[in-house]
Amino acid sequence: MLWTFVAVAVVAGLAWVVLFSPVLAVRSVEVTGVSGADRAAVTDLVRVPSGTPLARVDVEAVEQRVRTRSTVAEVSVERGWPSTLRVRTVSRAPALVLRNPQGQLEVVDATGISYETVRTPPPGVPLVRAASSKGTTKEALEAALSMVQVLPPDLGRQVSAIEVSTANLVSFTLGGTEVVWGGADDAPRKLAILRALLPTKPEVIDVSAPDTPVTRGGPSPSASPSR
């Protein structure tokens, strides 16, 4: 009976230390993966008072709050014993900047999520204009992203005046050539055809239907590369 009492007392003491005492309580919050204003915003969203026992922190609730920050793509929260709450985040990476019908510049990530409005596009991020006064659809954005993501750096640096009309009509200027890209389908094949036709220096290259590509203007006649 004495040993049983001692064992129960030890277990009760350990439970008190872990769940209620300040010994294993939150004294610092460590946020990684973001910096500047984003880091401050994420820290504010944690909302775990100093002195809260680590074992009683609802890490899932903290993760859900941090996910409300639009610039955060992924988040995980861990207990760092004895007294640190670790919040690990992954920021969204800009894939393109969309100029909406109101003239605002929306930063869009590779998944098509618009997560921030900026005054000027981030360096190296292509600017896309929505042709319709009603804005653009998710499918139209996916078409633009398929083009942006498949173009290699040597071509991407020459791209300007990207325009999204519909999900099946993305166009852009590549150097001195207007390129009608079309939709999101067959992006790698469209790129191969585009590379094959660029040396002919046409005014327009239409690869929207890759089975029947078309060129217009320039010194060379219309041509279709062999498959």
Side-chain angles (χ1 to χ4, degrees), residues 60-134:
E60 291 184 2
V62 176
E63 289 176 356
Q64 290 176 1
R65 288 196 294 271
V66 173
R67 285 194 186 98
T68 63
R69 179 69 178 176
S70 61
T71 56
V72 174
E74 300 176 19
V75 59
S76 64
V77 179
E78 303 171 353
R79 298 178 179 88
W81 304 99
S83 59
T84 302
L85 189 65
R86 296 194 175 100
V87 182
R88 306 183 189 279
T89 65
V90 176
S91 296
R92 295 190 187 279
L96 59 81
V97 174
L98 176 69
R99 186 185 296 278
N100 63 28
Q102 292 74 40
Q104 298 173 317
L105 301 182
E106 301 178 19
V107 184
V108 179
D109 71 0
T111 66
I113 293 176
S114 173
Y115 63 91
E116 189 177 18
T117 301
V118 295
R119 292 183 179 273
T120 57
V125 179
L127 177 62
V128 178
R129 185 175 72 88
S132 171
S133 60
K134 297 180 181 179

Side-chain angles (χ1 to χ4, degrees), residues 12-28 49-57 79-85:
L14 289 174
W16 179 83
V17 169
V18 172
L19 297 174
F20 299 101
S21 84
V23 176
L24 300 177
V26 176
R27 286 191 285 274
S28 63
S50 180
T52 301
L54 267 177
R56 296 174 62 186
V57 173
R79 298 178 179 88
W81 304 99
S83 59
T84 302
L85 189 65

